[in-house]
Amino acid sequence: MNFEDIIFIEGLGVDSNCYLLNKQILVDTGTGQNMDYLYSKLKEHGVNPDEITDIVNTHCHYDHVGGNYLFPNAQVNIHELDANALKNEDEDTVSFLFNGSLKRHDVDSLLKEGSKILDFEVLHTPGHSKGGICLWDGETLICGDTVFANGGVGRTDIGGDYNQLKESVKRLKELDVKNLLPGHGPIVLGNGKKHIEVSYSFL
């Protein structure tokens, strides 16, 4: 899809970044503790929160799924290996790290390798969590907490797996990524591949 159709909402505090696709699909929702901020950012772009049709969670951690409840009309999509954590709020959501608890536990669609979200393909990239995913359209990579700008990768000490993460980042560095849109921190436009290569070099 055209990059112009992706709206970047920078995370506030410990909230994840959020990405709005075609003004109707929201990738990640933060902790849900900053409702006014998230709603105001959506409205700045002419989007009423009630008009969000789908949520795509890149993984099950609280700082990415806690805000799902803010969009009661939206269907929740998450990888099949992270779905039970969301449904049951087990320790894999790490909500205890944020002194929070989930207010929404339903899952409407189980994603897997090759699932489609608009023009994006779901890539299963475990390591930070069992069911971590990235969204890839041949140019732009929405990568959750798998890899970050400037040489960062997701932590593996909260239900993750270092070897899986290394393999996931190795896979991503083979892609010709122009735009890198991570779960936290700055986005990268134009040379995302270089940032992934640097990240891999530290593993």
Side-chain angles (χ1 to χ4, degrees), residues 76-81 83 87 107-112 115:
V76 175
N77 306 264
I78 194 169
H79 191 274
E80 55 190 357
L81 294 182
K87 291 177 181 177
V107 173
D108 298 288
S109 177
L110 300 176
L111 302 174
K112 58 184 178 181
S115 296

Side-chain angles (χ1 to χ4, degrees), residues 48-80:
N48 189 307
D50 291 338
E51 296 170 347
I52 300 298
T53 61
D54 284 88
I55 293 164
V56 177
N57 292 131
T58 58
H59 60 290
C60 64
H61 291 165
Y62 179 78
D63 54 328
H64 292 253
V65 305
N68 287 3
Y69 81 98
L70 298 174
F71 306 95
N73 297 331
Q75 293 200 338
V76 175
N77 306 264
I78 194 169
H79 191 274
E80 55 190 357

Side-chain angles (χ1 to χ4, degrees), residues 58-157:
T58 58
H59 60 290
C60 64
H61 291 165
Y62 179 78
D63 54 328
H64 292 253
V65 305
N68 287 3
Y69 81 98
L70 298 174
F71 306 95
N73 297 331
Q75 293 200 338
V76 175
N77 306 264
I78 194 169
H79 191 274
E80 55 190 357
L81 294 182
D82 272 7
N84 282 337
L86 193 59
K87 291 177 181 177
N88 302 321
E89 195 172 1
D90 64 26
E91 62 183 13
D92 285 345
T93 66
V94 296
S95 56
F96 59 89
L97 292 178
F98 302 90
N99 296 313
S101 61
L102 296 181
K103 298 180 181 179
R104 183 173 180 181
H105 299 88
D106 56 308
V107 173
D108 298 288
S109 177
L110 300 176
L111 302 174
K112 58 184 178 181
E113 175 76 23
S115 296
K116 298 290 285 187
I117 305 292
L118 299 176
D119 294 335
F120 286 92
E121 179 181 355
V122 171
L123 307 181
H124 180 213
T125 53
H128 181 61
S129 76
K130 298 180 183 70
I133 64 166
C134 296
L135 301 178
W136 169 240
D137 71 351
E139 181 174 285
T140 297
L141 185 74
I142 302 175
C143 51
D145 287 1
T146 303
V147 65
F148 303 111
N150 303 313
V153 296
R155 58 191 289 188
T156 59
D157 62 337

Side-chain angles (χ1 to χ4, degrees), residues 157-174:
D157 62 337
I158 46 174
D161 183 286
Y162 171 81
N163 292 322
Q164 285 187 339
L165 182 68
K166 186 173 182 178
E167 285 301 309
S168 291
V169 179
K170 181 181 179 181
R171 176 189 185 189
L172 296 179
K173 80 181 181 72
E174 301 305 318

